[in-house]
Amino acid sequence: MSLDATTRERIESLLKSHRVVLFMKGHRHQPMCGFSAAATNTLNELLPDYHTVNVLDDPEIREGIKAYGDWPTIPQLYVEGELVGGADIIRQMYGSGELHALFGVAAPDRTPPEITVTDAAAKAIREGTANAQGLALHLEIGPDHSAGFQLAPASEHDIVAHANGLEVHFDPASAQRAKGIVIDWVSTVQGEGLSLKFPGAQEVKSLTVQELQQRLAAGNITLIDVRPAAARADLAPLPQARILEDEGYEALATLPKDTALAFICTRGISSQGVAERFAAHGFSNVHNVAGGMLAVEEHR
């Protein structure tokens, strides 16, 4: 792939102007693909500030950066003008501590967190991983306490916690956030699944549609619609609802911790997970609307 002189100069100017540059799809606070999101999530753990270039806005840079570093995919991380690599390499270097050293940040604490896995959760995990030979159970916990389990090969750099006869693998940041968590198996009207409880987190209360309407009329609860735009187009949100996608977690997280919050989605499933994140962040009066917008439609 050829690289014209003008594009090369533009790239070199960017690299000279900023110590750390991430060429990505989207922006640091709004990545537009999973790999770019993974890269920014990792860098955000270590750097208060770094420069990003949205290649979706600039086709010449999008193709030119691939030729410049002879690297075929996006995102690409450059530090002091040198190509580090893409999302997988960034993640590997983060887990090993190499990324910390590159940025001059203190090495990560590799102390395994003390966690609790209930008997019900342990049983469900064993049954679910019975045929997953050669794979380990990984738990990733984000800054907003969003959590995800996945089965993936173990790495020598994983931080491994043991509980109830099980091994749970963490990256350094997730290990810190996992201290004191309880992994449980829960059954609700929304379904069954693994649930995380963080130390000090308040329970999420269930709210019926009738109770929601009464609270909204009284003006003593804030309703937050967590659905993406496509779902809101199918069932229009209540006029009082604030839209999570529009405002973002960071803005809503600045509300007073005793604010009465109610979360709603289409069926009441994904809103439960969002409500639990806010509870984990110290909000003390958190509700989930049972049945979601479908239940609202039934009562209209």
Side-chain angles (χ1 to χ4, degrees), residues 8 81 90 138 145 155 159 168 182 226 297 300:
R8 179 180 294 277
I90 293 170
H138 294 253
H145 286 74
S155 165
I159 297 173
V168 183
V182 176
V226 308
E297 288 296 305
R300 279 179 170 170

Side-chain angles (χ1 to χ4, degrees), residues 11 14-15 21-24 53 55 61 65 74-76 78:
I11 292 172
L14 284 167
L15 299 180
V21 182
L22 181 69
F23 294 88
M24 62 178 289
V53 178
V55 301
I61 292 292
I65 194 62
I74 303 293
Q76 294 183 25
Y78 279 78

Side-chain angles (χ1 to χ4, degrees), residues 45-210:
E45 299 286 354
L46 301 179
L47 297 176
D49 188 35
Y50 57 92
H51 189 72
T52 61
V53 178
N54 182 9
V55 301
L56 298 179
D57 288 342
D58 196 326
E60 292 179 354
I61 292 292
R62 180 175 184 172
E63 296 306 317
I65 194 62
K66 297 176 184 178
Y68 184 83
D70 194 22
W71 192 270
T73 58
I74 303 293
Q76 294 183 25
L77 175 65
Y78 279 78
V79 178
E80 296 184 347
E82 297 293 329
L83 174 64
V84 174
D88 289 343
I89 289 178
I90 293 170
R91 197 66 182 165
Q92 292 166 9
M93 292 179 66
Y94 176 74
S96 69
E98 293 176 84
L99 206 59
H100 298 70
L102 180 63
F103 295 141
V105 178
D109 181 356
R110 308 197 70 83
T111 305
E114 292 188 7
I115 66 173
T116 299
V117 180
T118 67
D119 290 340
K123 180 175 182 291
I125 291 171
R126 290 191 181 96
E127 291 175 352
T129 60
N131 297 320
Q133 296 182 357
L135 301 178
L137 179 66
H138 294 253
L139 173 56
E140 185 171 344
I141 303 174
D144 60 353
H145 286 74
S146 59
F149 290 92
Q150 66 173 325
L151 290 171
S155 165
E156 61 178 320
H157 303 301
D158 290 346
I159 297 173
V160 183
H162 296 82
N164 208 340
L166 297 173
E167 287 188 353
V168 183
H169 293 235
F170 298 93
D171 62 65
S174 296
Q176 293 299 308
R177 299 184 183 114
K179 291 179 178 179
I181 63 168
V182 176
I183 301 174
D184 197 5
W185 182 263
V186 296
S187 299
T188 69
V189 294
Q190 289 86 23
E192 296 183 323
L194 291 171
S195 172
L196 260 62
K197 295 181 181 179
F198 291 85
Q202 300 294 319
E203 293 289 336
V204 174
K205 309 175 188 71
S206 181
L207 199 67
T208 67
V209 171
Q210 295 92 329

